[in-house]
Amino acid sequence: IRSTVGKPPAAHRLARSQDTLMSNVDLESAKGASSNDDTRGKLSTMLKARIQDLKPFREELQCRKHSSKEKLAEKIPEVIFTGELVHGEGFRGTQLGVACSWHFVWDDPWTLLEGNFRGQTQLAASTDCNAPWNHPLDIHFAARSPLGWPKLVMQVQELDEHGCSHVAGYGFCHLPVTPGSSELTVCCWRPTGSVRDEISAYFLGNTSKLTSYDIISAKAAWANRCRLVTIPTGKVILNLNVILRNFEGNIDMLQHSRAPPV
């Protein structure tokens, strides 16, 4: 009995040892956290100083990039076409009403910057052979090559006595390549069918029409149009103004820079 008096039980000794161990662990973790905070503070200070050292180089690099983009933009040739579809003449339905739908076509070296590339005029009628439209045209291109110069494709529609719309003719023209004003005359045509089709077109107005515009002005148009039998239907008169920018010496340079290696 004397040997056990004053001594704590074993459970109490175990709890005290656990508390001591936990306090040691807490102290070590606190020391580690404080050391981590100090390390992070040192690293952030070093990084801020490094960023301040690199700031002038970044500004200089941005200025170089901006200046190189401006120089490249200054070297890209641009073409602006403005004008109007003045009138159509010689079409059979001029007294009842004639309209012209149009669209521009171009190849891959060209990029549309601004403007409408398709549209349609109002329905115009006149007692003489001219149907006035005065429809504006305005389009802006960037060009990497003179190949694939834009073309204007037109389709003329006319009304008959019953108010039905029929194809009056197709036509296209290459846009002028020289700066300044030009007046263009586009001769229109339409395909003909058999004798029965022509009689039906005369009495009912069901004229033959194309299923695709590719046969008008595409690269394969010359090989396919030789198989068509067509008749002339009228003319479209248009005025165009051409403005060239950055063309002198830059077209050849862009072609050589994009040429594949030999």
Side-chain angles (χ1 to χ4, degrees), residues 44-56 58:
S44 62
T45 304
M46 293 173 62
L47 287 175
K48 288 180 180 178
R50 186 62 177 170
I51 290 172
Q52 292 295 330
D53 294 339
L54 293 176
K55 189 174 180 180
R58 289 184 177 179

Side-chain angles (χ1 to χ4, degrees), residues 185-208:
T185 301
V186 182
C187 297
C188 297
W189 50 269
R190 70 170 181 86
T192 61
S194 61
V195 177
R196 182 176 180 179
D197 294 334
E198 290 303 306
I199 294 174
S200 175
Y202 182 79
F203 288 102
L204 302 178
N206 298 325
T207 55
S208 302

Side-chain angles (χ1 to χ4, degrees), residues 114-147:
E114 289 180 324
N116 296 324
F117 68 94
R118 64 171 65 245
Q120 181 174 333
T121 67
Q122 76 279 7
L123 187 68
S126 177
T127 55
D128 56 7
C129 61
N130 295 334
W133 292 318
N134 299 109
H135 184 80
L137 301 173
D138 190 356
I139 195 165
H140 185 187
F141 289 102
R144 300 192 304 269
S145 171
L147 300 177

Side-chain angles (χ1 to χ4, degrees), residues 220-240:
W222 308 113
N224 294 326
R225 279 179 56 183
C226 64
R227 305 173 187 175
L228 289 178
V229 179
T230 62
I231 58 173
T233 56
K235 298 178 182 179
V236 175
I237 311 300
L238 62 151
N239 291 328
L240 281 179

